[in-house]
Amino acid sequence: YQPHAVQWWFQRERRFPLVQDHAPDSLAILNAKTDFLGFMVKHCDNAEDHPITNALRTALFDVLPALYKPGYAIGNCRKPDLSVQWRYLEGNNADILRPYKFTIAFESSYLRGYHTEKLLNAIIARTVPVYFGHHATVASIFNPKRFIHCSFDVDGLMKKSEELKLKGDGEARIDFVKDFAAEDLKRCVEAIKRVDQNDTLWREMVEQPMLPGNRIEGTPFDLRPISRALRKAIELHQPSWLE
């Protein structure tokens, strides 16, 4: 999944600098924002793909109005007008997210080494990503000061859901997550609220470089080690076309 996210950037967002030579104009970016939070998800729940962790992002979106204020559903999940269907990866998702101050960028799975383009989309859109995923993995690739990381008791969620045999009804899974992870969801909303109500803090986060130390070396975006390994493999096999 790391190569998937990297390939996505090289194919579609090469105009976005991986390494900043100067901080972006965060005040202009903030003044251009028209909406609070975007939620771009195709399915509210996916019973076949890590159903409990998948339900966490919908649970957060559902509790936001009561705990703070509502976000806006861009994707088909929780979309207020279902007559307008959103198609996955149609157009540029970063551009779609650009009006929002925040983006829910939860991974569907919590696995070491797993991350997709969700965080990348949100950063390129100049939003503050609200992220859930394997923190050690993502913090080794992306600058952790550039996003809000929400933590959950994933092992407890998985164990309790298996005891309750929550396998069929997607909304039942989402309701279970909202109940079991209520305190973690509340802490996540409080983190969003704290940044939303402090323009200086929001701007400081947006000004942060995407990569740790503002360096491409040693990250999955650094293609030089791959190029060297590929060249070595070709030289070892000594193909006739190399002559």
Side-chain angles (χ1 to χ4, degrees):
Y1 285 93
Q2 287 185 22
H4 168 66
V6 173
Q7 180 187 27
W8 180 93
W9 182 85
F10 277 107
Q11 286 180 346
R12 301 176 60 193
E13 284 297 343
R14 284 172 290 178
R15 69 182 187 272
F16 185 89
L18 287 170
V19 176
Q20 294 181 177
D21 58 359
H22 62 276
D25 186 348
S26 60
L27 180 58
I29 294 168
L30 177 60
N31 289 337
K33 298 296 182 183
T34 57
D35 296 285
F36 162 55
L37 177 144
F39 178 59
M40 183 184 284
V41 173
K42 186 177 182 181
H43 300 296
C44 289
D45 176 78
N46 189 335
E48 297 178 357
D49 181 23
H50 307 278
I52 293 301
T53 50
N54 210 340
L56 276 167
R57 54 194 178 190
T58 308
L60 176 63
F61 182 78
D62 285 352
V63 302
L64 266 169
L67 295 178
Y68 183 39
K69 59 184 179 182
Y72 183 76
I74 308 164
N76 293 337
C77 174
R78 299 296 193 253
K79 191 173 183 67
D81 183 4
L82 293 178
S83 66
V84 182
Q85 292 292 304
W86 169 72
R87 294 184 180 180
Y88 184 57
L89 289 182
E90 180 177 303
N92 190 318
N93 289 353
D95 286 342
I96 294 170
L97 292 168
R98 208 170 297 278
Y100 300 91
K101 288 180 67 179
F102 299 87
T103 301
I104 294 179
F106 278 32
E107 302 290 2
S108 59
S109 305
Y110 182 82
L111 299 169
R112 181 179 295 276
Y114 179 97
H115 80 88
T116 62
E117 78 286 353
K118 295 179 181 67
L119 185 60
L120 195 58
N121 273 330
I123 292 174
I124 291 170
R126 301 296 195 189
T127 73
V128 170
V130 183
Y131 185 78
F132 163 72
H134 196 276
H135 186 262
T137 294
V138 173
S140 69
I141 301 167
F142 295 99
N143 178 3
K145 295 180 180 180
R146 184 57 185 81
F147 58 92
I148 295 170
H149 184 261
C150 296
S151 300
F152 297 91
D153 179 7
V154 177
D155 291 339
L157 274 169
M158 298 293 290
K159 182 178 179 180
K160 189 63 177 179
S161 66
E162 289 173 3
E163 292 175 2
L164 297 175
K165 302 186 185 304
L166 294 172
K167 295 181 179 179
D169 187 345
E171 289 300 327
R173 267 192 299 274
I174 294 167
D175 288 340
F176 158 72
V177 167
K178 284 189 279 191
D179 180 60
F180 185 92
E183 289 302 313
D184 289 335
L185 288 166
K186 184 177 179 181
R187 280 190 287 271
C188 186
V189 173
E190 285 298 319
I192 298 170
K193 181 179 178 180
R194 183 168 61 253
V195 178
D196 185 44
Q197 294 182 346
N198 187 331
D199 288 351
T200 300
L201 181 55
W202 187 92
R203 290 176 57 192
E204 286 174 354
M205 294 186 74
V206 170
E207 289 172 1
Q208 287 287 328
M210 183 172 76
L211 302 179
N214 200 28
R215 294 171 59 86
I216 196 170
E217 292 81 5
T219 74
F221 296 94
D222 184 359
L223 299 185
R224 288 171 298 181
I226 300 174
S227 300
R228 288 194 292 267
L230 181 60
R231 178 170 181 160
K232 184 177 181 181
I234 292 172
E235 290 174 346
L236 284 172
H237 285 83
Q238 298 182 336
S240 57
W241 51 262
L242 189 61
E243 298 176 358

